[in-house]
Amino acid sequence: MLIDPFGRRIDYLRLSVTDRCNLRCVYCLPAQGVAGSASQDLLSDAEIARLVGIGASLGISKLRITGGEPLARPGIVALLRAIAVIPGLADISLSTNGVLLSKMAEDLRGAGLARVNVSLDTLRPERFPAIARRRGLENVMHGIHTALKVGFSPVKINVVVMNGVNADEIPDFISLTRRLPVHVRFIELMPIGETGFFNSRRWLPLREIQARCGPLEPLSRAKQPVGCGPAVYFKSPAGLGRVGFISALSCNFCGRCNRLRLTANGRLLPCLASARGLNLRDCLRSGASDAKIAELLRRAVAMKPQRHQMAPEGGRVRESFMCSLGG
Ligand code: SAM
């Protein structure tokens, strides 16, 4: 079992499988994108499966596949198939922007993936390219419908709320939970990366996001959706799905942190906002034993800070982009 210096049990790994993305969301990436890692610098399927197996033997039971855009990694379905049979993993999920989801949903489900989170910041066709700097809303909506049809459960929609950009759509996303059995999670904008997008005018605090939601009913712990991490959930009257809130700044969630992160090129990060990481890839490629790799996982857990160092003002948090960190 992995326990950090603050007594938190670490049983969740967020695994970035690529640092490339087919969108360029304004809060996440610069317009010109960033140079992704060369393919030989990315962890291979075999390396990922080995690491996940070692993690699972230490008590990692929840895994999230993320990126970059994980569905853009060639061979992602085969990788999932290899991961899904690793003993000890009770919950495997994937975060996607949904652009490629409709084509791949059935294969992903067949490979053993149980649930997906789709990032979607607007329901308005004219706004989508302004936020994502690419077209694709129709594909994403089709992807959400297909995900429901092939039986992913739950399907969660992640909305990064930006004042003056999409905050006026909060009621529209609440309405979506009445039309479709999806859980919508509103995420406070975070000061991460070097996009220069984050500022106090665009940042809408949790209490204001909640105030714009209209009446919501609190949910008992037992009714929280599967895999609830930092989100706090409610239900709108007549809602088929839940409404959740994730707030890194207003309501620091670090007290419940249970996670490690692995970047696509094999750096193990103790915290989203930590600048330091351990080079697991070089260790793997130098012929390290499973025991040595397990030791690195334990070291990363021992390095976990009590809380992240993000602040609403006071400059950037770190230099990496979310697509490299596996947000
Ligand atoms: N491509 C996948 C997707 O779109 O879900 C996975 C990677 S993406 C970096 C993961 C999540 O990070 C998305 O929900 C995205 O909206 C969120 N994200 C990226 N930058 C953020 C920021 N500055 N503040 C809040 N959320 C952010």
Side-chain angles (χ1 to χ4, degrees):
M1 199 190 285
L2 297 166
I3 306 281
D4 81 357
F6 307 97
R8 296 171 297 201
R9 182 169 169 196
I10 308 305
D11 59 3
Y12 179 18
L13 179 65
R14 289 183 70 98
L15 178 71
S16 172
V17 294
T18 176
D19 47 17
R20 292 169 192 266
C21 191
N22 47 358
L23 298 182
R24 297 279 181 275
C25 299
V26 284
Y27 50 78
C28 190
L29 281 172
Q32 71 279 14
V34 286
S37 300
S39 59
Q40 69 271 17
D41 292 333
L42 295 179
L43 293 184
S44 68
D45 288 4
E47 287 168 337
I48 290 175
R50 181 173 173 216
L51 282 170
V52 171
I54 296 169
S57 73
L58 296 174
I60 298 287
S61 60
K62 303 183 187 91
L63 186 74
R64 171 164 299 278
I65 313 287
T66 178
E69 173 47 40
L71 300 189
R73 176 175 167 125
I76 183 69
V77 173
L79 174 59
L80 267 162
R81 208 175 288 120
I83 287 174
V85 295
I86 293 173
L89 288 182
D91 180 29
I92 304 176
S93 56
L94 178 141
S95 290
T96 173
N97 58 36
V99 172
L100 300 170
L101 186 56
S102 67
K103 287 187 199 149
M104 300 174 72
E106 195 158 4
D107 289 344
L108 292 166
R109 189 81 185 96
L113 186 68
R115 56 193 192 87
V116 286
N117 288 8
V118 180
S119 303
L120 176 62
D121 303 320
T122 179
L123 298 168
R124 299 190 190 171
E126 74 286 0
R127 223 175 237 185
F128 189 92
I131 296 175
R133 298 200 189 97
R134 295 284 186 278
R135 306 206 159 270
L137 178 60
E138 251 180 50
N139 290 346
V140 181
M141 292 311 294
H142 191 197
I144 292 169
H145 285 280
T146 314
L148 290 167
K149 204 166 91 197
V150 303
F152 283 114
S153 178
V155 173
K156 299 181 185 173
I157 314 279
N158 287 342
V159 186
V160 176
V161 182
M162 297 160 274
N163 209 13
V165 178
N166 67 347
D168 55 342
E169 290 188 61
I170 291 172
D172 302 342
F173 278 102
I174 300 274
S175 300
L176 189 68
T177 69
R178 297 196 199 105
R179 292 199 305 279
L180 295 178
V182 293
H183 302 318
V184 166
R185 290 138 34 109
F186 295 109
I187 302 178
E188 246 183 28
L189 184 64
M190 291 189 280
I192 288 223
E194 300 261 288
T195 57
F197 182 81
F198 182 94
N199 65 40
S200 57
R201 273 169 291 114
R202 289 186 173 129
W203 180 68
L204 197 65
L206 176 70
R207 62 172 193 286
E208 284 187 36
I209 298 175
Q210 287 179 325
R212 294 183 193 199
C213 285
L216 292 176
E217 301 159 5
L219 281 183
S220 67
R221 193 84 198 149
K223 290 193 176 156
Q224 304 272 328
V226 185
C228 59
V232 180
Y233 284 93
F234 298 78
K235 182 175 156 318
S236 106
L240 303 169
R242 315 291 193 227
V243 178
F245 300 93
I246 301 181
S247 149
L249 295 181
S250 300
C251 258
N252 180 284
F253 43 58
C254 303
R256 289 183 286 134
C257 185
N258 60 348
R259 55 190 63 187
L260 284 179
R261 291 168 190 273
L262 187 64
T263 66
N265 54 18
R267 267 186 316 130
L268 194 56
L269 301 177
C271 168
L272 178 61
S274 60
R276 288 194 299 157
L278 299 175
N279 189 335
L280 214 50
R281 184 192 64 203
D282 288 358
C283 179
L284 269 170
R285 293 185 183 174
S286 65
S289 64
D290 287 4
K292 175 82 188 151
I293 291 163
E295 186 45 43
L296 272 191
L297 285 161
R298 285 200 193 87
R299 261 178 53 203
V301 169
M303 284 162 63
K304 276 186 75 66
Q306 186 166 19
R307 48 184 295 156
H308 68 65
Q309 297 302 317
M310 293 181 211
E313 297 295 350
R316 69 176 188 232
V317 166
R318 53 166 296 134
E319 290 176 13
S320 297
F321 293 97
M322 270 302 235
C323 66
S324 328
L325 297 171

